[in-house]
Amino acid sequence: MKRLFTSESVTEGHPDKICDQVSDAVLDAILAQDPKAHVACECAAKTGFLMIFGEASGNFNVDYEAIARKVITEIGYDSEDKCFDGNTCDIIVHMEEQSADIAMGVNESYEVKTGSESDEFALTGAGDQGMMFGYACSETEELMPLSIKLAHVLSMRLAQVRKDGTLPYLGPDGKTQVTVEYDDDRITRIDTIVVSTQHSADVSLDQVRSDMMEHVIDPVIPAEFIDEKTKFYVNPTGRFVIGGPMGDSGLTGRKIIVDTYGGHSAHGGGAFSGKDPTKVDRSAAYMTRYIAKNIVAAGIAEQCEVQLAYAIGVAEPVSVCVDTFGTGKLDEEKIAALICENFDMRPAAIIRKLQLDKPQYRELAAYGHMGRTALGVKWEDTDKADDLRKAAGC
């Protein structure tokens, strides 16, 4: 049976991604001074201004305004003719300390308070309740879905040709979309590619469309997936001069599907950017990716989705759920048991294992948090695959 599946990505100049990157740059700056700081930093942006607000507690002293201006100008918004200027825009800052009610559960977990656990990884309780999902599949080398991988590759290529001068008329804002055709579970072709990119007013639509094919799409999309029926839509509205926060408001955490698996997996709803790793929205999402990737790398399943759920202030997850979409070599109940035997899913253990208390987050705030093997993030390691393979007898 044939079916189509679509994923999208956005460039680093998309207004939501401006906010994600500022939030994570603030987090990085704070963690550089205090790796145990508690941070929840949000941003909002519109024409001529960016607002930074939230909570942060710890031993640090950072210049929020300077961090924001640096991020905005590095993205490429450094003059008014690009619809946003990090040098002159208004920056509003309203940061407070973390709620004492939340801190009391994070700093001393339910397990420690009740005496049920006492080791070092039991101390930290989950920073919030909620459920988190991780996913992996065998479609690509990174064990990511092909549609979201290619959408990100196109967005990164848009930024590259803008910044290296190949297409200097491009603006920082842009979106991409890739539709993949499946025959049962086998990828057969790419059905549709959409590229929308901000550009200067003096460039014709014909030139934009020609340059997108020559310099963006053709160099990065594998030719074997393209056929005579593949559809290409470049700036389908006909014009994209007004971009960034002038064209649309921006907000931290509004691109959670772009950040993860392009819609190929469930999502608990919690965003990542601006949150320190005691917030399981972030740390447990990375952990579920790490677990799912190792399950697939071990050959236990071709696809794997892992759900963890937490109660605020409690270290141990309240549930572990596995779905292999019919591709598993073991019953999902047995795979869940393997996970519990081989992975410590308490927040402090996750932070230690995946090295989440160090600055590394701004780079992840554009072009996805998962599948970023080139960045050396620990949740992309497959160091547990051999142990899982042996334990499963695969």
Side-chain angles (χ1 to χ4, degrees), residues 129-205:
Q129 71 175 51
M131 64 282 192
M132 300 82 211
F133 292 87
Y135 179 79
C137 65
S138 57
E139 289 183 11
T140 63
E141 181 181 356
E142 300 85 358
L143 304 186
M144 287 287 287
L146 181 66
S147 57
I148 187 64
K149 174 183 176 176
L150 293 182
H152 285 321
V153 166
L154 285 169
S155 289
M156 286 189 277
R157 181 68 178 175
L158 275 176
Q160 179 184 342
V161 297
R162 170 175 62 89
K163 291 179 176 181
D164 68 14
T166 301
L167 300 177
Y169 65 80
L170 295 183
D173 198 355
K175 301 180 80 171
T176 64
Q177 190 170 283
V178 175
T179 301
V180 171
E181 181 179 278
Y182 292 84
D183 190 348
D184 291 329
D185 290 326
R186 182 176 63 89
I187 295 172
T188 56
R189 55 188 290 274
I190 292 174
D191 184 79
T192 308
I193 291 175
V194 182
V195 175
S196 296
T197 181
Q198 185 185 9
H199 59 87
S200 59
D202 58 349
V203 179
S204 70
L205 179 60

Side-chain angles (χ1 to χ4, degrees), residues 98 100-114 116-117 121-130 278-280 309-318 346-348:
Q98 184 185 48
D101 291 350
I102 295 175
M104 66 185 292
V106 176
N107 295 335
E108 186 178 31
S109 72
Y110 175 84
E111 288 88 339
V112 170
K113 290 175 182 175
T114 60
S116 60
E117 293 184 30
F121 295 137
L123 178 61
T124 302
D128 202 353
Q129 71 175 51
T278 66
K279 278 77 172 173
V280 284
Y310 291 84
I312 189 169
V314 181
E316 293 283 358
V318 299
R346 295 172 294 176

Side-chain angles (χ1 to χ4, degrees), residues 295-362:
I295 293 291
V296 174
I300 296 172
E302 291 293 310
Q303 295 183 66
C304 183
E305 179 185 86
V306 177
Q307 185 207 51
L308 298 181
Y310 291 84
I312 189 169
V314 181
E316 293 283 358
V318 299
S319 68
V320 179
C321 181
V322 178
D323 189 349
T324 61
F325 307 92
T327 70
K329 295 181 179 178
L330 295 177
D331 292 340
E332 289 161 354
E333 183 178 357
K334 292 181 180 179
I335 297 175
L338 275 179
I339 290 170
C340 293
E341 292 166 5
N342 286 273
F343 297 92
D344 191 336
M345 294 166 284
R346 295 172 294 176
I350 296 172
I351 292 168
R352 173 79 63 84
K353 175 64 179 177
L354 302 184
Q355 300 178 11
L356 300 182
D357 57 356
K358 66 179 184 179
Q360 58 188 308
Y361 296 111
R362 185 198 159 183

Side-chain angles (χ1 to χ4, degrees), residues 181-290:
E181 181 179 278
Y182 292 84
D183 190 348
D184 291 329
D185 290 326
R186 182 176 63 89
I187 295 172
T188 56
R189 55 188 290 274
I190 292 174
D191 184 79
T192 308
I193 291 175
V194 182
V195 175
S196 296
T197 181
Q198 185 185 9
H199 59 87
S200 59
D202 58 349
V203 179
S204 70
L205 179 60
D206 286 344
Q207 182 179 348
V208 174
R209 288 176 172 170
S210 175
D211 285 342
M212 289 301 101
M213 292 300 301
E214 179 181 354
H215 297 290
V216 176
I217 296 172
D218 288 345
V220 300
I221 298 297
E224 64 265 28
F225 294 122
I226 303 297
D227 61 22
E228 69 280 358
K229 294 183 179 180
T230 301
K231 298 179 285 292
F232 301 93
Y233 296 106
V234 175
N235 283 13
T237 68
R239 178 181 169 89
F240 189 176
V241 173
I242 300 172
M246 181 180 288
D248 192 9
S249 60
L251 189 64
T252 297
R254 204 157 54 179
K255 287 291 176 284
I256 58 176
I257 300 303
V258 172
D259 286 343
T260 52
Y261 309 101
H264 280 267
S265 174
H267 198 295
F272 303 154
S273 291
K275 297 177 181 177
D276 76 82
T278 66
K279 278 77 172 173
V280 284
D281 278 342
R282 170 162 242 155
S283 54
Y286 295 156
M287 189 63 174
T288 53
R289 164 63 178 172
Y290 175 60

